[in-house]
Each structure stands twice: as C-alpha cells, then as structure tokens.
Amino acid sequence: MENTHRDIIVVGAGMAGLLIAFYLQQQGRNVLVLEAAEIASGQTERTTAKITSQHGIKYSWLIDKVGVEEARLYAQANETAVREYEKLVWENGIDCGFERVSSYLYTLQDAELLEREAKAAAFLGIDAAFTRETELPFEVKGAVCFRKQAQFDPPELIRRIARKLEIWEHTKVTAVKGNSVFTEAGELTADKIVIATHYPVLNVPGFYFLRQHQERSYVLALSSCKPIQGIYYSADKGGFSFRQTGEYLLLGGSACRTGQNRDGKAFERLSEAAGQYFPGAREEVRWAAQDCMPHDGIPFIGRYSMFTPQLYVATGFQKWGMSTSMVAAMILRDEICGMGNPYAEVFCPQRFHFRASVGNLLTDVGMSVRGLAGGLFGRPRCSHMGCKLSWNPEENSWDCPCHGSRFDKDGKLLDNPAKKSVESKGLSQTEKL
Ligand SMILES: Cc1cc2nc3c(=O)[nH]c(=O)nc-3n(C[C@H](O)[C@H](O)[C@H](O)COP(=O)(O)OP(=O)(O)OC[C@H]3O[C@@H](n4cnc5c(N)ncnc54)[C@H](O)[C@@H]3O)c2cc1C
C-alpha cells in the first residue's frame, strides 16, 4: 500500500461516519473513510429518516434521572442538529426532500406522562406543546408536538457528501493499535481515528458491549393511504410510528430486543395495524433494522476510552441516528480540532449515571448470563462472545440477544459487533428455538 498516512481515519461510512468525515474535512483535515461494504449499506440504508430532537419520553426522564442541565444540553444539541441539516442542505443545494414538519409523540394510554413530557421539553427551550388533536386515523389520549422538526430522503444527501470525501469501500478494519489501523489490505496510520461502525468493533478498551444492547424494529412501506403531514412516534410499548415519503406511508413498530422475535410475528403485527388503520392500503416493501440502546439513554460520542487519546467513537443512537449523527459530527469536529464543544460533556463516553443506568444494566447482565450459560450443545453460539443465538423465523436469521450480532441461516455474518461468521456445519439441524 502507498500513501498510508492521513490526519484522520474514520471507520464506517454510515450517516455518522460520513457526516463526521465531512465536517472534519471542512476544517482542512486530510480525512480517509474506510468502509467494510458499500457507502450507507448498514443501518442507514434502512432508516425512516425523521430528523428530530423528539426521542420518545426523553426530557422528563433525563431531568429526573440525570439532571436538568444535562437534559437542556441534550435538547439544544439535537435542536442544533436539525438546523445544521437545513444549513447543509441549503448551502450545498441538495435536493433531498428536506422539509420542516411537526413531530408528534402520541399515546393511546396515559396522557399524564405526555403532559409532563411536554412541560419538560418546553421548560428546556423546545417549541413543544401538549395536544389531543392529531391527523392519525385513530383517537389518541394525548400527544406532545415538537414544532419545526424535519424529514428528508437520505440517498441524495449521502451521495452529495460522499462525492466530496475519500472513501475506500470493501475495506474492512480488522484491528486498531495505537495510531495504526489494520485492514485486510494492509496497515494505515492516522493522527486521529474515529470508530463509526454503528456498534463499536473494538471490545477493549471502551467495553461498549457492557453498556448497550441492540433493539430491532420493523417497517412497512404502504401505498394507497391518505397522506399524513407530520411525523409520529408512539410512547406506548408495542405502538407504531408513521411518516410520509412521497406516495408511501412508512409504518414502523414491533420493536424488540434483537434475538427476541422468536414467534416471528413482527411483520404480521404491522400488517394487521395497516389493515386496521388504513383499509385498502397496499404493502409495497418491508424491511427491518436495529440500533444500539445505551443504558442511560444518552449516545456515546467522544474519546473511545480514557487510555486512547487518539481514538474516538460515535454509537448508541437509540433509533435517533439522523439527528445524533449530526450531533456527533459537530462534537467530534470541535474536539478533534481543539475548538471545544458545549455538548461534549453530556455525550462523553466516560460518564456514568448510576440512577439512569442501573435498570438496563441489570437486564443486560441477566441476558448475558443466560446467553452464556447452558451446555455446549443445542443452539449455535455467537462468534462475538459466545452467547447462545436465537432463531428469527421471520427473517431466517440467527440473532444474538446479548449484544445483537446477527447471522444468516448458513452462519454468515449480517450485523456486528461480531466480526466473523459462525461455523455453518450442522446449523440447519440445530434446535431453532
Ligand atoms: C427501523 C428503524 C428506523 C429508524 N428511523 C430513524 C429515524 O426516523 N430517524 C432517526 O434519527 N434515526 C432512525 N433510526 C436510527 C438510524 O437509522 C441509525 O441510528 C443510523 O442509521 C446509524 O448510522 P451509523 O452510521 O451509526 O451506522 P450504519 O449506517 O450501520 O453505518 C456503519 C457502517 O460501518 C461499517 N462497518 C462496520 N464494521 C466495519 C469494519 N470493521 N470496518 C469498516 N467498516 C465497518 C458498516 O458496513 C456500515 O456501513 C432508525 C433505526 C431503525 C432500526
């Protein structure tokens, strides 16, 4: 390999890696992006592309469990991200259907929770209000409306950004040691390295596998429905999300921890909802995707660990990776270029919020103990840390409930953090429970 040193190497060309690389390059840095497959072929390809600071019941929870100042900075960071997308789109004349819309978090159950959330968000400076009126084809008990949020269609924006960057596709990073990045094609070096591989691919340092799990969600694209204007997300367990893109209505839901779609009815539940709420609608396409869920509800953006000043990370986007990728780009640009960023501390990966984390931490430890226990025979084991895999009959995949790696029916790796496939011998005969 020739020309093997750069100022910065970004690993992963999803929305996070691309925006981080783009914003660093704008500061005059020489940046290379390394991508194992193709540009935006990971979770970004399957996003529903709402850009919003409304991340479920977030602000009343953050105020309660983490602190008012942290909640305020979280809100400001994401509101700034929405504006920054608009600036990026206008300044570069990118025709990606970007438009400002209202975002709604609705409930069919407990309106009081959402009244609190509306008050918390407004208190933190968001243009938010509680309402009982929505355009959805069913009655809601209540909803929180955030005004001036946004939606877009990612492919054109990604194409325009990628065009300006140096990106090596089909270049899988196998290890990082000090300032060296090892790929299947050889070794490169950089002053700074950013891991933006969705789930961080290095277990040590950082130990992100102890600090987050993955959750999977399912989406149908429907035609022949009355179009909706806003973007909608449910605060209820088992609820649905909605957003219009052109002639299609995207209906999302059936969220579950990766590895727990054992009854294989995730899409069926969406189809039933489509029939109930949009009679006559036609299902055009269906897909699923997953995202990392940090224990304390705050993404990890910043230094990979205390001991690696040259290494950075952006992960834990909780299905809000459009706004959060932009937050990551702004924070990492400022940190790496020594400019300081007002939001960096909130997202700092080295924080620990005990009250916010403890419930999820215990659940994850329980899952890992259960996943690692048991005899050597029975279900196949994950190549990441050896947890037992679960059969997902709907997607014909073996999914890991511990950290969310996925493999196809023959054991070929589909989703990280695992780096390699599992032994295919005997997989088809194993107990598919
Ligand atoms: C169903 C669903 C709907 C969603 N809808 C929304 C939404 O409406 N709004 C929103 O804000 N967020 C949404 N999200 C979340 C959002 O899509 C993700 O958070 C975001 O796309 C993640 O981007 P990323 O760049 O971190 O990961 P990815 O897009 O997965 O990119 C990571 C890249 O790293 C590469 N990579 C991995 N390992 C290596 C390696 N060893 N070497 C080199 N490259 C490597 C991968 O090939 C991949 O291309 C949704 C998520 C789901 C599950």
Side-chain angles (χ1 to χ4, degrees):
M1 258 204 250
E2 284 179 7
N3 187 18
T4 55
H5 185 80
R6 298 290 189 285
D7 295 339
I8 297 152
I9 288 180
V10 176
V11 186
M15 188 57 92
L18 292 170
L19 287 177
I20 292 164
F22 183 74
Y23 277 74
L24 282 165
Q25 186 171 281
Q26 284 196 320
Q27 295 302 307
R29 300 302 198 270
N30 173 1
V31 186
L32 169 65
V33 183
L34 300 176
E35 165 56 47
E38 286 101 39
I39 294 165
S41 59
Q43 306 309 322
T44 297
E45 192 178 39
R46 290 161 239 154
T47 187
T48 50
K50 310 178 206 77
I51 309 175
T52 175
S53 61
Q54 188 172 57
H55 296 176
I57 300 185
K58 181 59 78 180
Y59 296 103
S60 45
W61 192 85
L62 279 179
I63 289 173
D64 188 27
K65 301 280 187 196
V66 179
V68 176
E69 209 35 45
E70 286 84 351
R72 191 185 310 283
L73 290 170
Y74 185 103
Q76 283 174 2
N78 283 285
E79 286 276 295
T80 307
V82 181
R83 287 195 296 277
E84 191 62 35
Y85 266 104
E86 187 165 43
K87 191 163 153 240
L88 176 69
V89 166
W90 288 115
E91 280 181 0
N92 294 279
I94 303 174
D95 185 11
C96 62
F98 180 94
E99 61 173 328
R100 291 283 198 156
V101 289
S102 291
S103 176
Y104 294 83
L105 177 69
Y106 70 90
T107 181
L108 307 185
Q109 293 163 9
D110 186 356
E112 212 180 302
L113 275 180
L114 293 195
E115 284 183 61
R116 274 191 66 214
E117 177 65 8
K119 279 191 195 135
F123 171 73
L124 297 172
I126 294 173
D127 186 355
F130 179 80
T131 176
R132 293 184 198 275
E133 301 297 318
T134 75
E135 61 190 314
L136 291 173
F138 48 83
E139 292 281 309
V140 303
K141 281 269 164 59
V144 186
C145 172
F146 281 19
R147 296 183 198 92
K148 302 194 208 88
Q149 306 300 303
Q151 59 182 0
F152 76 127
D153 298 319
E156 181 59 12
L157 183 129
I158 286 167
R159 199 178 65 76
R160 292 286 297 278
I161 293 179
R163 206 165 75 181
K164 298 188 178 173
L165 293 168
E166 184 188 6
I167 303 174
W168 294 5
E169 293 182 301
H170 304 288
T171 308
K172 186 171 186 168
V173 170
T174 50
V176 175
K177 286 195 185 111
N179 292 82
S180 294
V181 177
F182 296 88
T183 75
E184 284 158 345
E187 180 184 344
L188 297 135
T189 55
D191 299 337
K192 305 282 182 196
I193 300 158
V194 180
I195 304 295
T197 52
H198 187 243
Y199 204 112
V201 283
L202 310 172
N203 283 337
V204 183
F207 301 95
Y208 291 95
F209 62 92
L210 293 175
R211 305 162 75 188
Q212 59 181 2
H213 67 271
Q214 296 202 65
E215 198 174 281
R216 212 158 167 74
S217 294
Y218 296 76
V219 183
L220 303 183
L222 305 172
S223 63
S224 309
C225 311
K226 186 167 167 246
I228 59 164
Q229 308 300 319
I231 53 185
Y232 291 84
Y233 190 75
S234 172
D236 307 331
K237 198 166 183 304
F240 302 103
S241 71
F242 305 92
R243 115 144 166 96
Q244 192 75 33
T245 169
E247 63 193 282
Y248 303 111
L249 179 80
L250 304 184
L251 166 63
S254 291
C256 63
R257 190 182 179 107
T258 302
Q260 292 196 329
N261 182 23
R262 292 203 192 91
D263 68 356
K265 295 202 167 144
F267 283 122
E268 199 177 305
R269 282 190 281 278
L270 289 186
S271 298
E272 271 170 24
Q276 184 184 350
Y277 299 138
F278 305 99
R282 257 206 342 264
E283 183 189 321
E284 300 292 346
V285 193
R286 54 169 62 183
W287 70 87
Q290 60 189 36
D291 215 350
C292 304
M293 314 299 284
H295 291 158
D296 64 2
I298 304 176
F300 300 110
I301 301 168
R303 286 263 171 90
Y304 204 92
S305 82
M306 264 153 63
F307 310 106
T308 50
Q310 81 294 357
L311 192 60
Y312 293 80
V313 69
T315 187
F317 293 168
Q318 327 163 82
K319 301 186 206 168
W320 299 109
M322 296 300 107
S323 62
T324 317
S325 288
M326 185 60 92
V327 171
M330 296 186 296
I331 290 178
L332 295 184
R333 171 198 62 196
D334 295 351
E335 286 218 322
I336 289 174
C337 298
M339 300 192 281
N341 182 288
Y343 314 121
E345 211 175 311
V346 177
F347 296 90
C348 172
Q350 283 73 55
R351 69 186 184 253
F352 183 59
H353 299 300
F354 179 76
R355 267 177 11 96
S357 305
V358 64
N360 290 326
L361 175 66
L362 291 176
T363 309
D364 278 9
V365 169
M367 288 305 293
S368 296
V369 170
R370 235 182 307 158
L372 288 165
L376 286 175
F377 303 104
R379 303 204 312 261
R381 288 187 178 265
C382 183
S383 63
H384 176 228
M385 302 197 90
C387 287
K388 277 187 287 196
L389 299 173
S390 298
W391 178 245
N392 177 343
E394 217 166 12
E395 298 182 78
N396 279 331
S397 60
W398 290 102
D399 300 353
C400 179
C402 294
H403 309 108
S405 301
R406 297 179 60 249
F407 306 85
D408 75 6
K409 64 178 178 20
D410 302 317
K412 186 169 165 257
L413 180 63
L414 296 173
D415 283 310
N416 64 10
K419 289 194 209 136
K420 54 181 201 260
S421 299
V422 296
E423 187 60 53
S424 67
K425 214 171 101 198
L427 261 187
S428 53
Q429 279 86 49
T430 11
E431 198 187 351
K432 287 181 173 169
L433 286 175

